[in-house]
């Protein structure tokens, strides 16, 4: 395990990595430009498995674990062969079977993100998960809901090559605002506009948000409940658009070309770039801090793991790496966030009952919910377990910084089952008790 403040890098052979995400059993899954998906053990980075059978697309991009907890990951394919679909489902067990989700024959997918929607009531929230993606060839943002296998398409009329997408959601958990970045393109199909675009609730058209300089090209975008952040080149910057005031703030990266970005469990903004990993105060009030990579090259993909470490891809060196954020100076306030319970289902059930919605929790740092944080959910019980028979699951916080714990099956033991959720073992877990009776 890394000492605080250090980076460790691991070769992934002759594969050029793109993005990465944590999936089932805590394994990291890495997409590549070389007809392969790489599984990496986060506790032993040199322990890897290469999935490179004939059904893996030539190029693969954004990746996300299955939002409903199934043993699979979803990833995007930005340049699939003709008549092969660019949203890919890969099983993370057995022979790593692959399915393609049907889109247009020549469609591409440049990114893939998580969206959660409260389909229940205020008093009894029920979350339905969808995957959102950018499709530039046919100019739409797609919403794919795995539970019923449908795709909603939101056409983008602007002449732009869509690149990335994010979502923000109102306090009701039901009302969504969508954000997309798009670029100019000189080859066919030609596109003429760089922009950050917003589709507001109830609207059918996208509006361009004026945050870019002339000729500036946007790349990746993320959002939480307070702001939208995006990276851009010409000049190289990170841009923050405040949802409350509608104003923008920028941070210059000089010669560093920015790529993907993520919010850390301590509430800071981290940006991967051609020169390493940049840490910023999330409000961009400071100039930031650069962590250079130990073997050169540059970072492209970035994600947070369940133990709080940052992981990144280094396409130049064909490596992946982990960075342990150093602790605050002695005597300084703790930088850790905390997990808190938002809603709770039944507190008492009969043996062998099914508890559909046991707990909804929120991860908060610096007073704001943090999306994209992998929380560890556990059941300490003799008979009770999650519906797949496990006692521990890792679930990623959604766009509002929340997780809905999976259904619980009460066993044939009369007991008090403790249900808890938190960031690995780095903080005290938020917990509740489910009393299982014989009557």
């Amino acid at each position: 395990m890394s000492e605080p403040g250090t980076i460790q890098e691991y070769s992934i052979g002759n594969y050029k990595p793109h993005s990465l995400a944590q999936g089932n059993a805590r394994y990291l899954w890495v997409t590549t430009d070389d007809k392969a998906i790489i599984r990496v053990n986060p506790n032993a980075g040199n322990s890897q498995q290469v999935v490179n059978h004939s059904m893996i697309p030539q190029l693969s991009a954004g990746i996300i674990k299955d939002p409903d907890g199934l043993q699979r990951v979803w990833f995007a394919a930005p340049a699939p062969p003709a008549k092969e679909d660019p949203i890919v489902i890969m099983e993370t067990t057995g022979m790593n079977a692959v399915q393609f989700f049907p889109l247009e024959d020549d469609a591409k997918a440049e990114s893939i993100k998580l969206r959660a929607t409260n389909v229940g009531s205020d008093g009894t929230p029920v979350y339905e998960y969808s995957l959102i993606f950018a499709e530039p060839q046919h100019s739409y943002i797609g919403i794919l809901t795995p539970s019923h296998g449908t795709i909603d398409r939101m056409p983008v009329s602007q002449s732009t090559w869509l690149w990335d997408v994010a979502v923000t959601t109102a306090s009701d958990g039901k009302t969504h605002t969508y954000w997309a970045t798009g670029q100019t393109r000189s080859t066919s199909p030609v596109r003429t506009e760089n922009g950050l675009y917003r589709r507001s609730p109830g609207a059918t058209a996208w509006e361009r948000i004026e945050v870019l300089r002339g000729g500036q090209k946007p790349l990746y975008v993320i959002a939480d409940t307070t702001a939208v952040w995006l990276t851009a080149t010409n000049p190289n910057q990170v841009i923050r658009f405040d949802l409350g005031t509608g104003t923008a703030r920028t941070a210059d990266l000089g010669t560093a070309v920015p790529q993907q970005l993520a919010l850390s469990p301590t509430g800071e903004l981290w940006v991967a770039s051609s020169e390493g990993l940049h840490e910023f105060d999330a409000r961009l009030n400071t100039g930031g801090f650069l962590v250079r990579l130990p073997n050169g090259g540059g970072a492209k993909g970035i994600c947070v793991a369940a133990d709080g470490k940052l992981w990144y891809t280094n396409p130049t060196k064909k490596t992946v790496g982990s960075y342990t954020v150093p602790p605050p100076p002695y005597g300084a306030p703790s930088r850790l966030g905390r997990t808190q319970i938002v809603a709770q289902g039944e507190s008492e059930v009969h043996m062998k009952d099914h508890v559909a919605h046991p707990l909804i929790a929120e991860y908060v740092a610096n007073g704001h919910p943090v999306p994209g944080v992998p929380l560890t959910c556990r059941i300490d019980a003799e008979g009770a377990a999650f519906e797949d028979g496990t006692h521990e699951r890792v679930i990623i916080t959604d766009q509002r910084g929340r997780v809905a714990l999976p259904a619980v099956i009460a066993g044939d033991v009369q007991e008090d089952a403790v249900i808890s959720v938190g960031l690995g073992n780095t903080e005290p877990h938020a917990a509740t008790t489910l009393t299982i009776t014989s009557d």
Side-chain angles (χ1 to χ4, degrees):
M1 181 177 293
S2 299
E3 293 297 319
T6 63
I7 286 183
Q8 290 187 329
E9 272 196 0
Y10 309 94
S11 170
I12 57 169
N14 197 32
Y15 299 102
K16 184 178 180 180
H18 188 286
S19 298
L20 74 171
Q22 193 156 45
N24 300 297
R26 296 178 181 260
Y27 286 118
L28 292 162
W29 293 90
V30 184
T31 57
T32 75
D33 292 354
D34 308 285
K35 280 190 67 65
I37 305 296
I38 315 294
R39 190 188 78 177
V40 178
N41 184 336
N43 298 318
N46 289 318
S47 176
Q48 301 170 9
Q49 173 189 336
V50 179
V51 181
N52 59 356
H53 58 67
S54 61
M55 295 299 289
I56 301 298
Q58 175 63 45
L59 302 180
S60 51
I63 186 167
I64 194 169
K65 77 186 295 293
D66 187 84
D68 292 311
L70 300 179
Q71 300 291 308
R72 59 190 187 184
V73 291
W74 297 70
F75 58 89
K83 297 185 178 179
E84 196 168 273
D85 303 308
I87 299 296
V88 185
I89 312 164
M90 190 186 79
E91 304 296 325
T92 54
T93 57
M95 301 298 291
N96 301 111
V98 165
Q99 302 175 57
F100 292 91
F101 208 92
L103 297 177
E104 299 83 0
D105 285 350
D106 59 345
K108 303 176 184 292
E110 296 286 1
S111 66
I112 191 166
K113 298 284 184 67
L114 175 68
R115 186 198 77 176
T117 304
N118 179 14
V119 296
S121 63
D122 292 337
T124 309
V126 178
Y127 283 93
E128 178 180 74
Y129 294 106
S130 301
L131 305 175
I132 57 176
F133 60 94
E135 201 297 309
Q137 187 77 26
H138 297 266
S139 294
Y140 65 83
I141 299 300
I143 306 171
L144 191 164
T145 303
S147 61
H148 45 80
T150 60
I151 293 180
D152 294 319
R153 290 169 170 83
M154 297 184 290
V156 178
S157 62
Q158 286 85 352
S159 178
T160 193
W161 183 260
L162 293 171
W163 192 259
D164 198 13
V165 63
V167 61
T168 53
T169 302
S171 59
D172 61 5
K174 304 173 184 289
T175 308
H176 304 298
T177 299
Y178 299 94
W179 306 83
T181 54
Q183 304 174 354
T184 59
R185 178 181 168 95
S186 59
T187 57
S188 180
V190 172
R191 302 290 162 79
T192 61
E193 187 173 292
N194 294 312
L196 171 68
Y197 304 95
R198 175 176 64 193
R199 176 165 157 156
S200 300
T204 57
W206 293 76
E207 59 179 320
R208 189 173 186 269
I209 305 300
E210 299 299 331
V211 297
L212 299 175
R213 298 185 186 181
Q216 193 170 30
K217 179 176 289 189
L219 296 168
Y220 295 94
V221 60
I222 62 171
D224 73 355
T225 57
T226 65
V228 174
W229 295 264
L230 63 150
T231 53
T233 60
N234 193 34
N236 299 321
Q237 289 183 329
V238 183
I239 303 169
R240 180 185 186 272
F241 180 74
D242 191 287
L243 297 177
T245 65
T247 58
R249 181 186 292 269
T250 62
D252 292 319
L253 275 69
T255 58
V257 178
Q259 294 289 335
Q260 296 181 24
L261 60 176
L263 291 166
S264 77
T266 53
E268 282 74 37
L269 178 72
W270 285 87
V271 180
S273 87
S274 59
E275 295 184 7
L277 302 173
H278 303 255
E279 180 188 18
F280 293 96
D281 164 72
R283 299 186 65 85
L284 301 188
N285 286 327
T286 60
F289 175 76
L290 172 63
V291 179
R292 295 192 180 273
L293 306 187
N295 303 310
K300 183 179 183 68
I302 188 170
C303 77
V304 178
D307 59 2
K309 290 182 184 178
L310 294 171
W311 281 80
Y312 63 91
T313 60
N314 184 339
T316 305
K317 296 297 183 178
K318 297 183 178 179
T319 57
V320 297
S322 68
Y323 177 66
T324 304
V325 180
Y330 180 77
S334 171
R335 297 172 65 187
L336 286 179
R338 60 186 173 88
T339 305
Q340 58 192 24
I341 295 172
V342 174
Q344 185 174 335
E346 299 95 328
S347 59
E348 183 174 314
V349 297
H350 298 153
M351 289 189 295
K352 298 187 177 180
D353 274 357
H354 178 273
V355 184
H357 310 290
L359 194 67
I360 293 172
E362 179 179 65
Y363 187 84
V364 176
N366 293 329
H368 301 293
V370 183
V373 175
L375 297 184
T376 300
C377 308
R378 297 189 180 115
I379 298 180
D380 183 6
E382 182 180 348
F386 293 125
E387 59 184 348
D388 63 354
T390 64
H391 288 83
E392 181 174 302
R393 293 268 286 276
V394 174
I395 304 178
I396 309 297
T397 56
D398 64 20
Q399 71 273 13
R400 297 177 65 208
R402 296 184 174 188
V403 297
L405 271 66
V408 170
I409 305 297
D412 56 3
V413 177
Q414 185 174 340
E415 61 181 339
D416 288 333
V418 177
I419 304 174
S420 65
V421 56
L423 179 63
N425 295 316
T426 64
E427 57 150 354
H429 281 210
T432 187
T433 300
L434 178 65
T435 300
I436 301 169
T437 67
S438 59
D439 297 328

